[in-house]
Amino acid sequence: MFNIVILFVVGFIGGMVSGFIGSGGAFVLTPAMMSLGASGIVAVASNMAHKFPKALVGSIKRHKYGQVDIKLGIIMGVFAEAGVFYGKEVMTGIRATYGNAGTDLYVSLVFIVVLALVGGFVLRDGIRLKRSGKGDNEFETPKFAQWIQSIRIPGTMVRFSAIDNKEVSILFIAPIGFATGMLAASIAVGGFIGVPAMMYILGVPALRATATELVVAFIMGMGGTAFYAWEGFVDIRLAMIILAGSLFGVQIGAIGTTYVKEYTVKFVMGMIMLIVLVSRLIKLPVYLHDLELISALDPILIDILNKLSFATLALALISGMLVITSALIKGMMEHRKDTATEIARRGYEQDLAVTTAES
Amino acid sequence: MQKTEQTHSKEASLEGEQLPTTKGFTAKLKSVNKYRCAAGFGVISIALYAFLYFYNTDLTHIAQATHDGDKTWFFVPIVIALVFSLIHGSFTSHFWDALGVKAKS
């Protein structure tokens, strides 16, 4: 029973983060399932089986708010699916050559490079945007994205609503989708590449990029689930317990996006990425030890590093949840106050009109 | 006569919105429906989880059989995930709505 509660709570927090930034949660859920006794492959497969229904619900919800570009999501999703299968091949090859420690080290290095570069950039941009005091109506397409949008390659141009009905060549979307899928196959969170790439390469606003990422996650998750279900690795009971919590969370995350500005989304995403980076850095000596690239570590130290790393991962999710919750509460209170003032103003105007007519 | 005209003009000004009494009734009806929807989907959602609990051995057997090479029922987890997402997703949406946690309009 305690395990069910743990999975429900982790699912809820992961769902909230996913609903808000389009991805996330998987990096804690998989190790959490494994620590509760599931084997590695069953944990990955079950995580995948809860991910695609969650992404489906999240994308439907955010589509209602007009944030999803379905066409962009489907095109990226198709290329991402190809990236997932290629990424799996890469992982299998590394495992065959260097064993499990080799894949762990590869995953950690990918994590560190991607999170440090992309996470740092996104967080810096979020802080810069907040300081500049610009609202959502003053969205500026990044210079690189402007250049990408200006390149015309006949026969490959597609129009997207997310970038004000401008056209972008599908040849630029293909590698972004592919990289998203490869990252998803390696570290289970493709959105850490997909969302920033949509923002800074294609010029999609943060709120729309995170919403569109949910469509990509749905397609990737559906394909991945079919793959693992064919092999009989999906523990649907485990997946549905996590889904029970994560669907409560994904609704809150999606609702939260209607109250925040662009920079909040960037800030949350950058912050989570950098905390996850710290977690990977903590665990790096353990992988180097397993591969015998450094001198032997004390088993107690290894245990401490493992626990510390997992605790830092949990911290990443909890921090995200706290920022989203506080932004939601603050946004709702301000909105209610504005609505009450507007109603009072209208009532006063109506009363004034009636009084004038009577006199 | 003048008073009747004034009443008419007051009603006409509110025509676009609805009369206060009708407005209150509609709001009340919507509020009741909101709770009913949440409760209805909640009950179906609980029923689905009960199904999962009572048939958990069969589901394990299906997964094991698929793993051993019999692919007849490999799609069962995908169908279950989709059904749960639709029902439980609707429940969670109505649940937060009933609690007043709504998107900015």
Side-chain angles (χ1 to χ4, degrees):
Chain A
M1 188 63 196
F2 178 72
N3 290 350
I4 292 175
V5 174
I6 291 281
L7 288 174
F8 184 91
V9 172
V10 178
F12 174 76
I13 301 172
M16 191 188 281
V17 172
S18 296
F20 195 79
I21 63 168
S23 59
F27 54 82
V28 171
L29 277 167
T30 310
M33 277 189 268
M34 286 165 74
S35 67
L36 294 176
S39 67
I41 188 86
V42 171
V44 171
S46 307
N47 184 29
M48 199 71 96
H50 114 276
K51 184 177 158 176
F52 88 86
K54 175 181 73 179
L56 175 67
V57 171
S59 53
I60 290 172
K61 188 89 177 171
R62 292 189 66 174
H63 181 59
K64 282 183 189 164
Y65 307 147
Q67 297 173 340
V68 177
D69 186 333
I70 298 176
K71 198 200 290 178
L72 178 60
I74 291 174
I75 294 174
M76 269 189 68
V78 169
F79 287 109
E81 199 64 71
V84 167
F85 284 102
Y86 182 71
K88 277 190 198 304
E89 289 299 314
V90 171
M91 294 282 280
T92 310
I94 294 172
R95 189 175 288 120
T97 316
Y98 301 103
N100 281 335
T103 51
D104 286 344
L105 184 65
Y106 164 73
V107 166
S108 279
L109 289 175
V110 172
F111 249 124
I112 288 165
V113 173
V114 171
L115 297 179
L117 292 176
V118 184
F121 187 75
V122 174
L123 186 66
R124 200 175 65 108
D125 189 39
I127 293 170
R128 185 189 59 81
L129 210 61
K130 188 181 180 183
R131 282 187 185 153
S132 72
K134 284 182 181 170
D136 288 346
N137 297 333
E138 299 165 77
F139 173 76
E140 273 178 25
T141 308
K143 284 200 173 106
F144 187 71
Q146 283 179 19
W147 179 70
I148 291 285
Q149 288 172 8
S150 70
I151 297 173
R152 321 286 306 172
I153 305 171
T156 66
M157 304 305 290
V158 184
R159 199 174 291 280
F160 295 106
S161 67
I163 47 173
D164 284 338
N165 283 321
K166 287 176 192 155
E167 288 183 332
V168 167
S169 170
I170 205 165
L171 297 178
F172 292 116
I173 297 167
I176 294 173
F178 193 80
T180 305
M182 260 198 86
L183 199 73
S186 312
I187 63 172
V189 198
F192 283 171
I193 277 279
V195 175
M198 273 192 262
M199 291 192 296
Y200 301 112
I201 299 177
L202 302 180
V204 180
L207 280 171
R208 299 208 68 176
T210 51
T212 305
E213 176 61 30
L214 285 165
V215 179
V216 182
F218 167 69
I219 295 170
M220 279 194 298
M222 185 84 168
T225 307
F227 172 80
Y228 286 117
W230 182 258
E231 299 296 328
F233 286 128
V234 176
D235 186 339
I236 196 68
R237 303 162 306 168
L238 205 57
M240 292 306 101
I241 291 168
I242 302 167
L243 190 72
S246 77
L247 290 190
F248 278 103
V250 83
Q251 304 280 355
I252 291 285
I255 293 169
T257 59
T258 62
Y259 289 98
V260 298
K261 294 201 185 309
E262 290 272 312
Y263 63 77
T264 315
V265 176
K266 288 181 179 174
F267 180 77
V268 171
M269 187 163 208
M271 179 191 72
I272 289 177
M273 287 172 88
L274 290 182
I275 299 176
V276 174
L277 168 70
V278 174
S279 149
R280 290 293 102 180
L281 285 172
I282 290 170
K283 205 159 178 183
L284 198 60
V286 180
Y287 299 137
L288 293 172
H289 157 85
D290 291 344
L291 283 168
E292 296 175 354
L293 292 171
I294 57 169
S295 54
L297 293 176
D298 192 320
I300 298 169
L301 180 63
I302 292 175
D303 189 45
I304 291 170
L305 289 175
N306 280 335
K307 282 180 180 159
L308 199 61
S309 168
F310 184 70
T312 319
L313 280 181
L315 177 72
L317 269 195
I318 293 168
S319 313
M321 181 193 75
L322 291 176
V323 176
I324 296 166
T325 312
S326 69
L328 176 68
I329 293 170
K330 200 178 153 196
M332 280 179 73
M333 282 170 76
E334 277 173 10
H335 181 60
R336 278 182 190 170
K337 204 173 153 189
D338 291 347
T339 313
T341 315
E342 182 63 18
I343 289 169
R345 191 184 63 79
R346 279 190 193 174
Y348 172 74
E349 279 176 5
Q350 213 167 40
D351 286 348
L352 197 70
V354 171
T355 317
T356 315
E358 278 175 355
S359 63
Chain B
M1 182 68 188
Q2 202 185 359
K3 203 171 183 183
T4 321
E5 273 176 13
Q6 275 176 4
T7 318
H8 278 302
S9 67
K10 199 175 173 183
E11 279 178 6
S13 71
L14 288 163
E15 209 173 7
E17 295 173 16
Q18 277 174 334
L19 288 168
T21 45
T22 322
K23 201 176 178 183
F25 178 72
T26 316
K28 209 171 179 181
L29 199 70
K30 271 185 183 172
S31 163
V32 171
N33 277 344
K34 198 166 63 180
Y35 294 119
R36 277 189 184 168
C37 276
F41 278 110
V43 169
I44 305 172
S45 197
I46 290 168
L48 283 176
Y49 276 97
F51 162 85
L52 204 66
Y53 178 76
F54 288 116
Y55 288 92
N56 90 86
T57 324
D58 299 281
L59 292 169
T60 316
H61 285 156
I62 289 173
Q64 189 57 48
T66 310
H67 187 58
D68 293 341
D70 179 8
K71 308 292 182 192
T72 318
W73 300 105
F74 89 95
F75 58 86
V76 169
I78 302 171
V79 174
I80 290 177
L82 281 171
V83 172
F84 271 68
S85 72
L86 293 174
I87 301 297
H88 190 51
S90 299
F91 165 56
T92 51
S93 176
H94 285 103
F95 174 82
W96 290 121
D97 200 28
L99 287 184
V101 183
K102 293 176 186 173
K104 191 176 179 180
S105 51

